[in-house]
Amino acid sequence: MFSGWNWVAHGLCLLLNFCSLKVSGGLVQSCGHIIPESPVLALGSNFTALCILNESCLDFGNIYANQIIWKIKNKVVPKEQYREINRTVSSVTFNDTSSLATPLTCNILADGQIEQNIYGIAVTIGLPPEKPRNLSCIVHQVSKLTYPMTCTWNPGRHTFLDTRFRLKYRWPQDEFPDCIPKDVNNSCTITDVQFFVNLEVWVEAANALGKAESDRLVLDPIEIVKPLPPHNLSVNSGILPTVLKLSWENLISGAVMKLKFNIRYRTSGDTNWMQVPPEDTASPRTSFSVQGLRPYTKYVFSIRCMKEDGVGYWSDWSEEKTGVTTEDKPSKGPPIWRIIDASDSPASWTVRLMWKALEPFEANGIILRYEVTVRAKSSLSSPAEKYNVNTTNLTLKLPNGTYEVTLIARNRVGASPPSVLLIPASNSKAPVKNVRTLPKDGKLWVGWTAPNSYVLKYVIEWCLVSNSSDCIIEWQNEPGNVQGTYLKGDIKPFKCYLITVYPLYADGQGSGQSVKAYLQQDRPSKGPTVQTKKVGKAEAVLTWNHLTVDEQNGFIRSYTIFYKTVDGNETAVTVDPSKTEYTLSSLTSDTLYTVRMMAYTDEGGRSGPDFTFTTQKFGKGEIEAIVVPVCLAFLLIVLLGVLFCFNKRDLIKKHIWPIVPDPSKSNIAQWSPQVPAKHNFSSKDQMYPEGSFTDVSVVEIEADDKKSFSEQDLKPFDLLKKEKSTSEGHSSGIGGSSCMSSPRQSVSDSDEGETTQNTSSTVQYSTVVLNGYRDQAPVQVFSRSESTQPLLDSEERSEDQAGGGDGTTQRQQYFKQNGGQDETNTDRPCFERTRQITPTNEGGLVGFAQLQISGHSLQPLGLGMEKNIQKAALPDVLQTSIEGQTVRPETVEGNPPSADEMPKSYLPQTVRQGGYMPQ
Amino acid sequence: MAAADSPSAALRRRDLCSRGIRLAGKMRSDVIDLLDTYVERQGLDASASVAAVEGVPVAAVERWDEQTGTQRLLENLAAYRAFRVLLAQMLEEHREQLGEADTALGRALAAVLLQVSAFAYHLEELLQLESRGPPSEEGSVPPPVPHLGLFERKLRGLGVLRELAQWAIRSTRDLRQLAKPSPGSSSAPGWTESP
């Protein structure tokens, strides 16, 4: 098996070697060839190629046309396109050459297996040239005698082939060498042409696929000349200040071409050209005088030319040349205005005359000086004052009045017409109305309604309103027949301008009418800073300052206040821009609020800083409204309580701290009929030896009050004595301060105290002090005992039987004797009380006249006397005890009697009513 | 002389005359410029007097105003054909003498030669319009140039250019005469335009 394969391979190698030798020998003799050889084909056309085998190869290798394979590059052409013409020729056909590529090869399969290349050709595919179109020619003059003609054309589509273009031209009887373009295919320049002979021009395009010619132009080259512009242009000023003379040279001979011209000119610095009327320069020339120019003005000139009949092309514009016209006298007087300062003196003005320098077209030269004449209109006799000024303002100090100011500008040629300004004593004429402004085209337009009178002219003043600079006045004049104008100045956006319009009359002047305006508005540069002026419970008064003019950037149309709580929605309030204060109402009390403020112009608003405040917890007067009624109510309650306590003091006392008599301290226990009065009576007793007391006042003297009572100290008790009943009790012991804050208030009112005490079921012991008057029967009087000990039933009964007493009952604690008329006065209460007591006894209740003896309040001065009196009275009391009932005398609390003064023994005694106990 | 009948022929004739006049004027201007250049480059004296050169047509003519249009055209055509030959000879001699060094003079000579040729073409066209074809050039071939020295050739060239300038003036007048509405009339030229 292996050896069989070797044989096959060996045979194949031999065949290849043989073939290769034949092919290699093909450099000299190929086995075949293709026709056409390297064709140039039109794109899109059909193409047929033939591969023709050599006869020698047929015999040698058994190669025939049916074995031929066509390839484009390495791609086999489908066999459907093959055709075997005979045994040595095979053709291939392509319906569209666009599918062709280089190389196209003819190959053969040797022994039906091995592909061998026989021949190959290069195929070039392209397009035939199109007919050149749009042929046109122009003759450019490049020098005085050189007129090359350049022709251009449209070469047409790209042919993918090497295509030659030739510009052909000829005279009818002469041929000229072709013009061959260099590096381009659409233009060519013929170096020299002859005028006045028709020239036939056309373009020929040719490549491997064909040739095409353009349409033929027949033209006289003189008709397509673009001449060189005139040169050596010069400008000379003439005699007249409005004329400049131009001169130039033409570069084209008049024999060749007659020219016409265009002259243009402009003022130096201007960009717009003016042109001399073409008909004025339609004929050949080398100079021209331009008229109608402005004096003393620099002009720039330029000139061009073309064939006189207009056939051909205009030359380029010549180089520019300048010229200046001569001076002329100023054409008008300078606009003049004034600023009057009347603040220095009431009788004079400081008048600042100012005028504008004339525009160059008005000055017509260099202004050498201004001549100002000031004439007072009021006094014709006074001469006019003349001033020569080099500047454009003049400040004069003039007395108040009407003046006529005349201004003349003068240059080297002459003087201007005068400008006259009337300065009236007052602006009494009609002013303009309805001054308004309107930004327009980047400028500020000012309009007004003219007054009814004839106005010579208007003066518009304006100045920039700013905090940082003064109002520097600018102004301009406008004729009297206009009612609006643009401000001629550097009007800046976002700045406030104060604009004033004055009408000037032949005989006076109207007052100025002002308006503020912005050329362009913007949002304010900052917002107002708001703060609180006053904060209440539900309202807050906000205050702020107006924005400065520099900050406004426009007209402030409104303020908006935004306020909110920490977690609440923001509330906005719009405020009139004239306000600087606003009250926020309906706020929540004791709440933190944040407030800010925005200022709005027409272009928007800007917010100021936040401000926080907290509303108050209570409103104004609220505390007072609560506290005052509460206090009043409290006071009323207290008062009522006091009154109640006062009224019910006895009842209260009885319930709360009833006085329980202490038998051991009973006064009666201290009393002994046998005990003589050891004490000397005071001087009072001595002064009134009769012992007739018409009035008795009881004054409780605190035991701990160590100071001595003077006569003066006791006076108030006199008054009290007069007002109250003659007997007063003093609660002793623990009851002393239950209702009555002062022991003195325990003075019993006999009118009512006894009745109230009658209601008590508890019967207290009483101390009975009797004071008889000499031989009169002593009146039985019951005095409440100070003892806290319970009374014996017998005692109580005796007390119950105590009826009315004698009016001479006296208190023994303190005696003050009143003489004379007082006696009768002081006696009556005692009787009254007696009468009141009586009914109480009838009611079954025991009435007591409180008679408290506060032993501990005794003072050395009166102590002895009191005690003596007590001792003296005790028998009387006992005597008044009814029907032998034993009356247990109360012990005077706080003032226990000393052992030597007060016997310890208790000696009940029965005192017969109406009896008298001798002392 | 047969006048053109059709309006288009009249217009054509008028156009040819007009442009012939302009061409003659330019030719004269260029020849004058060329004369200055030629005198300068050839080292000649501009005021040098040159005797009549053999074979150069003379512009001066007696009883000029009595010539017919055709006669004028024929004389002009003969003269410019002669100048064309003479100028071609001068250009050839100039190239032989200076090679391509003096291109300005050579270009100027070539330009004048072209204008002479163009003017001759104008004349031929006008003769065509006169229903008389131009004569063949063989009959007007100038005699062969005699062998001359260099200086003589320069003087001869100067004479040719001067005479050409004269012819330019005459041709202008002839064409103006032809351009008149009644061509062939013997009236004096009325145009005052100078080239």
Side-chain angles (χ1 to χ4, degrees):
Chain A
M1 183 69 182
F2 179 75
S3 60
W5 276 108
N6 284 340
W7 276 110
V8 172
H10 182 69
L12 185 59
C13 290
L14 287 175
L15 180 62
L16 287 175
N17 289 334
F18 172 75
C19 291
S20 62
L21 284 174
K22 289 299 290 183
V23 171
S24 62
L27 295 174
V28 179
Q29 182 180 4
S30 172
C31 277
H33 65 281
I34 297 174
I35 57 174
E37 176 73 36
S38 299
V40 178
L41 306 174
L43 188 66
S45 64
N46 56 16
F47 171 66
T48 299
L50 300 175
C51 183
I52 303 171
L53 300 176
N54 292 340
E55 292 289 341
S56 59
C57 293
L58 298 179
D59 299 336
F60 183 78
N62 294 326
I63 298 172
Y64 300 100
N66 59 355
Q67 296 171 283
I68 287 176
I69 296 173
W70 290 90
K71 280 189 169 182
I72 300 173
K73 288 188 177 177
N74 293 323
K75 186 179 177 183
V76 176
V77 178
K79 294 202 173 182
E80 292 79 13
Q81 297 178 229
Y82 300 172
R83 182 184 170 205
E84 183 182 355
I85 296 176
N86 55 38
R87 67 185 192 121
T88 61
V89 178
S90 174
S91 71
V92 63
T93 300
F94 300 91
N95 291 328
D96 189 349
T97 52
S98 59
S99 62
L100 276 173
T102 296
L104 173 65
T105 58
C106 173
N107 308 276
I108 195 163
L109 281 175
D111 291 333
Q113 294 177 347
I114 301 173
E115 184 178 306
Q116 186 66 45
N117 177 263
I118 299 297
Y119 202 78
I121 60 173
V123 179
T124 304
I125 300 172
L127 293 168
E130 281 188 317
K131 176 182 177 182
R133 301 178 189 278
N134 301 330
L135 175 64
S136 64
C137 299
I138 182 172
V139 175
H140 289 280
Q141 183 188 13
V142 295
S143 71
K144 195 169 184 178
L145 298 174
T146 309
Y147 301 89
M149 183 175 76
T150 300
C151 295
T152 58
W153 59 89
N154 180 359
R157 68 188 176 191
H158 183 50
T159 62
F160 308 103
L161 301 175
D162 180 24
T163 303
R164 295 172 293 106
F165 290 86
R166 291 173 179 271
L167 177 66
K168 292 179 170 290
Y169 61 105
R170 72 175 188 184
W171 283 346
Q173 78 284 16
D174 287 318
E175 291 280 344
F176 297 104
D178 295 341
C179 178
I180 300 174
K182 291 179 180 177
D183 304 325
V184 295
N185 62 358
N186 64 344
S187 71
C188 194
T189 299
I190 301 170
T191 56
D192 199 6
V193 293
Q194 296 302 317
F195 298 133
F196 311 117
V197 184
N198 281 344
L199 192 65
E200 189 177 7
V201 183
W202 71 100
V203 178
E204 182 184 273
N207 64 15
L209 294 176
K211 181 189 291 185
E213 286 186 354
S214 70
D215 294 334
R216 301 193 175 206
L217 287 180
V218 178
L219 50 88
D220 185 346
I222 197 67
E223 296 173 348
I224 54 173
V225 172
K226 180 181 180 181
L228 285 172
H231 77 302
N232 289 340
L233 178 65
S234 63
V235 183
N236 300 304
S237 57
I239 299 173
L240 296 174
T242 58
V243 174
L244 286 174
K245 183 179 181 182
L246 307 183
S247 300
W248 64 89
E249 295 178 19
N250 294 319
L251 284 174
I252 193 165
S253 167
V256 176
M257 186 187 293
K258 292 184 177 178
L259 298 174
K260 65 177 182 180
F261 303 90
N262 277 167
I263 298 173
R264 65 178 183 179
Y265 62 98
R266 59 180 170 85
T267 56
S268 179
D270 194 1
T271 55
N272 298 321
W273 289 95
M274 295 168 285
Q275 190 164 335
V276 173
E279 56 270 22
D280 293 351
T281 55
S283 57
R285 63 184 63 237
T286 55
S287 65
F288 188 81
S289 291
V290 183
Q291 304 177 26
L293 304 176
R294 292 202 300 262
Y296 199 64
T297 304
K298 189 176 184 180
Y299 284 93
V300 181
F301 292 91
S302 180
I303 188 171
R304 67 178 181 178
C305 62
M306 77 174 297
K307 194 163 175 280
E308 184 182 20
D309 56 7
V311 177
Y313 300 90
W314 280 105
S315 71
D316 295 327
W317 287 102
S318 71
E319 58 180 352
E320 297 176 357
K321 285 295 177 69
T322 60
V324 182
T325 51
T326 55
E327 286 190 47
D328 196 2
K329 61 183 179 182
S331 60
K332 60 176 285 190
I336 184 171
W337 187 233
R338 85 292 176 276
I339 297 175
I340 298 174
D341 185 2
S343 60
D344 290 344
S345 168
S348 65
W349 288 337
T350 299
V351 179
R352 185 168 186 263
L353 297 172
M354 49 191 183
W355 54 90
K356 293 182 182 294
L358 291 170
E359 296 292 333
F361 63 88
E362 298 167 336
N364 291 339
I366 300 172
I367 300 299
L368 301 176
R369 65 179 183 273
Y370 298 97
E371 296 174 2
V372 182
T373 304
V374 180
R375 179 180 294 109
K377 296 279 283 185
S378 54
S379 59
L380 296 176
S381 59
S382 61
E385 297 287 338
K386 289 190 176 181
Y387 307 89
N388 287 331
V389 186
N390 291 325
T391 60
T392 56
N393 60 76
L394 175 65
T395 302
L396 300 172
K397 197 168 184 67
L398 300 172
N400 294 356
T402 300
Y403 295 91
E404 183 183 82
V405 179
T406 304
L407 176 66
I408 289 172
R410 189 176 288 278
N411 64 11
R412 275 182 291 210
V413 177
S416 71
S419 295
V420 179
L421 176 67
L422 184 68
I423 303 177
S426 64
N427 296 339
S428 57
K429 300 293 182 181
V432 298
K433 302 170 190 171
N434 190 23
V435 178
R436 57 203 180 275
T437 62
L438 181 67
K440 201 174 181 182
D441 302 330
K443 295 184 287 185
L444 195 55
W445 181 85
V446 182
W448 60 87
T449 302
N452 295 327
S453 308
Y454 173 74
V455 177
L456 278 181
K457 61 182 177 181
Y458 296 97
V459 175
I460 296 96
E461 269 187 9
W462 74 91
C463 72
L464 175 66
V465 182
S466 173
N467 302 107
S468 57
S469 62
D470 294 334
C471 190
I472 300 172
I473 290 178
E474 297 181 71
W475 59 279
Q476 68 187 56
N477 278 349
E478 294 298 329
N481 58 351
V482 303
Q483 297 189 36
T485 185
Y486 288 100
L487 294 187
K488 301 180 181 73
D490 182 20
I491 307 297
K492 298 172 182 170
F494 319 133
K495 299 293 185 185
C496 181
Y497 287 89
L498 179 64
I499 302 165
T500 308
V501 179
Y502 295 91
L504 303 188
Y505 301 91
D507 55 348
Q509 175 179 315
S511 60
Q513 297 296 305
S514 299
V515 67
K516 283 185 176 179
Y518 286 86
L519 175 62
Q520 184 182 351
Q521 295 190 50
D522 195 6
R523 294 192 305 157
S525 55
K526 62 177 286 191
T529 301
V530 65
Q531 56 187 356
T532 55
K533 183 179 179 184
K534 183 180 177 184
V535 177
K537 179 183 176 185
E539 70 283 332
V541 180
L542 303 179
T543 183
W544 62 89
N545 291 325
H546 286 306
L547 296 176
T548 64
V549 175
D550 293 337
E551 294 167 344
Q552 290 179 4
N553 293 338
F555 294 113
I556 300 298
R557 300 300 187 193
S558 67
Y559 292 122
T560 300
I561 299 172
F562 298 93
Y563 63 99
K564 64 175 182 179
T565 60
V566 174
D567 52 353
N569 290 330
E570 194 170 59
T571 306
V573 179
T574 301
V575 182
D576 187 89
S578 62
K579 299 283 195 326
T580 58
E581 189 174 299
Y582 185 79
T583 301
L584 296 179
S585 58
S586 303
L587 302 179
T588 308
S589 64
D590 194 22
T591 304
L592 179 67
Y593 279 90
T594 301
V595 62
R596 65 189 172 90
M597 194 162 179
M598 286 187 76
Y600 287 92
T601 65
D602 293 337
E603 296 299 318
R606 197 178 291 276
S607 179
D610 287 351
F611 183 81
T612 58
F613 64 90
T614 305
T615 51
Q616 294 183 354
K617 197 167 186 177
F618 298 102
K620 178 182 178 183
E622 203 169 276
I623 294 176
E624 292 83 346
I626 294 171
V627 171
V628 169
V630 167
C631 292
L632 289 175
F634 179 73
L635 289 175
L636 183 62
I637 291 170
V638 170
L639 184 61
L640 290 174
V642 169
L643 289 174
F644 178 78
C645 290
F646 187 77
N647 286 333
K648 302 295 182 180
R649 63 186 183 278
D650 295 332
L651 185 62
I652 293 170
K653 187 173 181 179
K654 190 172 85 175
H655 280 84
I656 296 178
W657 65 91
I659 299 173
V660 179
D662 185 359
S664 64
K665 296 178 182 179
S666 174
N667 288 337
I668 198 166
Q670 299 172 7
W671 174 77
S672 175
Q674 289 78 21
V675 178
K678 292 185 288 186
H679 300 290
N680 294 328
F681 283 99
S682 65
S683 57
K684 290 181 180 178
D685 291 334
Q686 295 174 352
M687 289 172 63
Y688 304 100
E690 298 83 0
S692 173
F693 295 100
T694 59
D695 188 16
V696 176
S697 294
V698 180
V699 176
E700 179 182 346
I701 300 172
E702 300 294 335
D704 56 354
D705 192 357
K706 303 302 181 184
K707 65 182 180 180
S708 61
F709 287 94
S710 64
E711 186 72 19
Q712 192 173 2
D713 292 330
L714 299 174
K715 283 182 180 176
F717 293 99
D718 288 339
L719 297 174
L720 184 62
K721 171 192 66 184
K722 293 175 183 176
E723 294 170 0
K724 298 296 182 179
S725 63
T726 54
S727 66
E728 289 179 317
H730 187 281
S731 63
S732 62
I734 56 175
S737 61
S738 64
C739 288
M740 310 302 285
S741 59
S742 172
R744 283 187 294 272
Q745 290 176 332
S746 64
V747 172
S748 64
D749 187 343
S750 61
D751 293 339
E752 51 191 17
E754 291 170 0
T755 57
T756 56
Q757 286 186 354
N758 288 337
T759 62
S760 176
S761 60
T762 304
V763 177
Q764 296 181 346
Y765 295 98
S766 61
T767 301
V768 180
V769 180
L770 297 176
N771 191 7
Y773 180 68
R774 293 186 179 180
D775 348 352
Q776 292 180 4
V779 177
Q780 193 174 35
V781 175
F782 296 92
S783 177
R784 183 173 180 171
S785 171
E786 294 178 355
S787 171
T788 57
Q789 295 295 325
L791 284 174
L792 299 175
D793 290 340
S794 60
E795 291 178 336
E796 290 180 5
R797 281 191 299 270
S798 67
E799 288 178 1
D800 290 340
Q801 293 174 356
D806 196 354
T808 59
T809 303
Q810 297 180 6
R811 308 284 172 85
Q812 298 296 321
Q813 284 94 347
Y814 184 81
F815 300 94
K816 180 176 181 180
Q817 188 170 5
N818 294 323
Q821 198 171 3
D822 290 339
E823 291 180 355
T824 57
N825 293 335
T826 55
D827 290 339
R828 187 176 56 200
C830 295
F831 290 120
E832 288 175 355
R833 182 170 54 190
T834 304
R835 284 193 300 270
Q836 289 171 352
I837 290 171
T838 303
T840 59
N841 293 333
E842 293 172 358
L845 295 175
V846 178
F848 296 95
Q850 283 190 341
L851 177 62
Q852 296 182 359
I853 301 171
S854 180
H856 59 272
S857 64
L858 294 176
Q859 295 300 317
L861 177 59
L863 180 61
M865 179 189 68
E866 290 176 3
K867 287 181 178 178
N868 291 336
I869 293 172
Q870 285 177 348
K871 290 173 182 177
L874 278 173
D876 293 340
V877 172
L878 291 175
Q879 289 175 357
T880 58
S881 298
I882 303 169
E883 283 89 31
Q885 291 185 1
T886 303
V887 176
R888 182 174 295 174
E890 290 181 1
T891 302
V892 176
E893 290 183 3
N895 189 15
S898 60
D900 54 348
E901 292 177 347
M902 202 174 292
K904 298 290 185 180
S905 61
Y906 173 61
L907 182 62
Q909 296 181 15
T910 302
V911 178
R912 191 183 51 193
Q913 188 176 5
Y916 174 72
M917 292 295 292
Q919 295 180 9
Chain B
M1 175 178 154
D5 296 328
S6 67
S8 61
L11 286 174
R12 171 69 178 158
R13 184 166 172 271
R14 188 169 181 172
D15 175 62
L16 286 171
C17 288
S18 173
R19 288 198 285 158
I21 292 168
R22 307 287 296 276
L23 179 57
K26 182 174 186 302
M27 188 164 56
R28 177 176 174 268
S29 172
D30 289 349
V31 169
I32 290 173
D33 291 340
L34 179 58
L35 272 173
D36 294 339
T37 306
Y38 187 85
V39 169
E40 178 188 351
R41 296 299 171 93
Q42 299 292 355
L44 300 175
D45 184 2
S47 60
S49 172
V50 180
V53 180
E54 186 183 359
V56 176
V58 179
V61 64
E62 293 182 355
R63 299 189 178 183
W64 172 82
D65 54 350
E66 294 179 359
Q67 288 184 326
T68 63
T70 303
Q71 190 177 358
R72 296 175 195 274
L73 290 173
L74 288 173
E75 286 187 5
N76 274 272
L77 182 57
Y80 283 101
R81 281 177 173 174
F83 281 121
R84 188 163 61 189
V85 173
L86 291 171
L87 287 172
Q89 289 175 352
M90 288 173 62
L91 185 60
E92 186 66 24
E93 290 170 359
H94 175 74
R95 286 173 179 165
E96 288 176 358
Q97 177 187 351
L98 301 175
E100 299 295 329
D102 196 352
T103 56
L105 182 59
R107 284 203 304 269
L109 277 172
V112 170
L113 175 58
L114 277 175
Q115 291 175 58
V116 169
S117 300
F119 196 77
Y121 163 70
H122 271 289
L123 296 171
E124 290 169 359
E125 288 290 306
L126 284 169
L127 282 170
Q128 293 269 1
L129 290 174
E130 295 291 330
S131 303
R132 189 190 188 288
S136 67
E137 291 192 45
E138 292 158 358
S140 60
V141 173
V145 178
H147 184 74
L148 299 173
L150 180 59
F151 184 72
E152 289 173 326
R153 289 204 297 267
K154 290 180 179 179
L155 285 179
R156 183 171 178 268
L158 181 61
V160 169
L161 293 177
R162 283 180 174 172
E163 200 58 40
L164 178 58
Q166 294 297 318
W167 266 107
I169 297 171
R170 177 183 168 179
S171 299
T172 301
R173 292 183 176 176
D174 286 335
L175 290 178
R176 283 177 180 161
Q177 194 70 21
L178 286 170
K180 287 186 176 178
S182 54
S185 69
S186 57
S187 62
W191 287 20
T192 57
E193 181 184 3
S194 61

